[in-house]
Amino acid sequence: MYTIMLIEDDIPLAEAMKNQLESYGHHVVRAEDFDRVTEEFTSARPDLVLLDIMLPKHDGYYFCTEIRKISSVPIIFISSASENMNIVMACSCGGDDFIAKPVDPMVLTAKVNAVLRRTYEMNGDRKTTLFYGAELNLYDYTVTNGEKTIELTKNEFRILEALLENRGKIVSRDDLMLRLWQNDLYVEENTLTVNVGRIRKKLGYCGLSEIIVTKPGCGYMIK
């Protein structure tokens, strides 16, 4: 399940899009206060943003630019203004795709899932994994969220990577220990707990506290 932030002031359209995406298992958060869109984005920590161009107070280009200052989360523009210049401007300020109104539900779902798949599921030669608007760098074992960066040890990185690969699912303690050390016969039970505690503390420094959930008797998961 991915979290999608919907920034759209047309309430009936926003509700229809929300229902469509939630029917495919996504969690959709709607922007409520168009004076505080950036703050709501930071709070929601979405995996993808759907952004209208014509909005109260500021247009979508403005909000895209503001989001790009703190995050590389994928952004899909939605607007009835589908002329070439608007598409060019959307891409130029950091947009990843564009959907024209009236929004076809199947086109919406297909484009959203395609962008999510390219961003989070296709391993290939990707250098980072995005989550909650932050980036896990697969080469230097760092997590960056806005202007804050933390460094992970090799074991901390492997734990976080395993949890992100299975986000929304419980990863058992045994599976994590096997991932780290290949053979859990040589691992003290408390060692994994200590590593997870360190990861939580470091993620908290980046504003990502409480995203790792403990499932007593089972293991851990990313919300």
Side-chain angles (χ1 to χ4, degrees):
M1 178 181 70
Y2 292 98
T3 297
I4 298 170
M5 184 172 187
L6 178 56
I7 307 174
E8 167 63 69
D9 62 327
D10 183 330
I11 295 178
L13 174 60
E15 283 299 313
M17 295 170 62
K18 182 175 185 290
N19 292 338
Q20 171 70 10
L21 293 169
E22 288 183 340
S23 71
Y24 278 79
H26 300 303
H27 173 56
V28 180
V29 178
R30 282 186 50 209
E32 299 291 342
D33 185 346
F34 291 96
D35 286 319
R36 302 183 63 256
V37 168
T38 305
E39 290 87 344
E40 289 188 9
F41 168 84
T42 302
S43 176
R45 299 170 180 168
D47 299 298
L48 181 144
V49 174
L50 290 168
L51 177 60
D52 191 19
I53 291 179
M54 301 303 293
L55 294 166
K57 307 295 183 180
H58 300 286
D59 60 27
Y61 305 129
Y62 170 84
F63 288 123
C64 183
T65 301
E66 291 300 298
I67 290 172
R68 280 289 170 261
K69 291 178 181 179
I70 58 175
S71 174
S72 60
V73 66
I75 298 173
I76 300 178
F77 276 89
I78 298 176
S79 177
S80 55
S82 58
E83 291 84 0
N84 288 341
M85 185 52 65
N86 290 306
I87 296 175
V88 170
M89 290 180 63
C91 294
S92 297
C93 69
D96 295 276
D97 208 335
F98 193 102
I99 298 176
K101 295 179 181 178
V103 177
D104 182 293
M106 298 311 296
V107 171
L108 169 69
T109 304
K111 287 209 170 191
V112 165
N113 287 338
V115 172
L116 288 170
R117 185 168 59 250
R118 288 198 303 268
T119 305
Y120 302 107
E121 298 175 13
M122 296 177 65
N123 294 324
D125 60 352
R126 65 192 173 102
K127 298 180 180 179
T128 62
T129 292
L130 303 183
F131 65 105
Y132 286 94
E135 294 184 352
L136 172 65
N137 191 301
L138 307 183
Y139 291 159
D140 65 5
Y141 297 175
T142 61
V143 173
T144 300
N145 190 24
E147 297 181 353
K148 294 183 177 180
T149 298
I150 57 172
E151 295 184 359
L152 303 174
T153 66
K154 182 188 296 185
N155 285 344
E156 290 167 354
F157 168 80
R158 288 176 176 170
I159 293 170
L160 183 56
E161 184 182 38
L163 293 175
L164 288 172
E165 287 174 357
N166 295 276
R167 70 174 70 197
K169 302 177 183 177
I170 299 173
V171 182
S172 72
R173 293 179 59 88
D174 287 345
D175 286 345
L176 286 173
M177 288 190 287
L178 287 170
R179 173 82 170 244
L180 295 179
W181 297 281
Q182 304 302 315
N183 191 334
D184 59 354
L185 295 177
Y186 301 99
V187 178
E188 294 183 6
E189 182 68 20
N190 190 49
T191 305
L192 179 60
T193 304
V194 170
N195 275 275
V196 172
R198 289 174 179 166
I199 296 171
R200 283 180 167 142
K201 184 176 180 179
K202 291 181 178 181
L203 290 177
Y205 170 78
C206 281
L208 299 168
S209 58
E210 300 182 0
I211 70 168
I212 298 179
V213 178
T214 300
K215 295 296 182 179
C218 299
Y220 304 95
M221 66 181 291
I222 295 287
K223 291 194 293 184

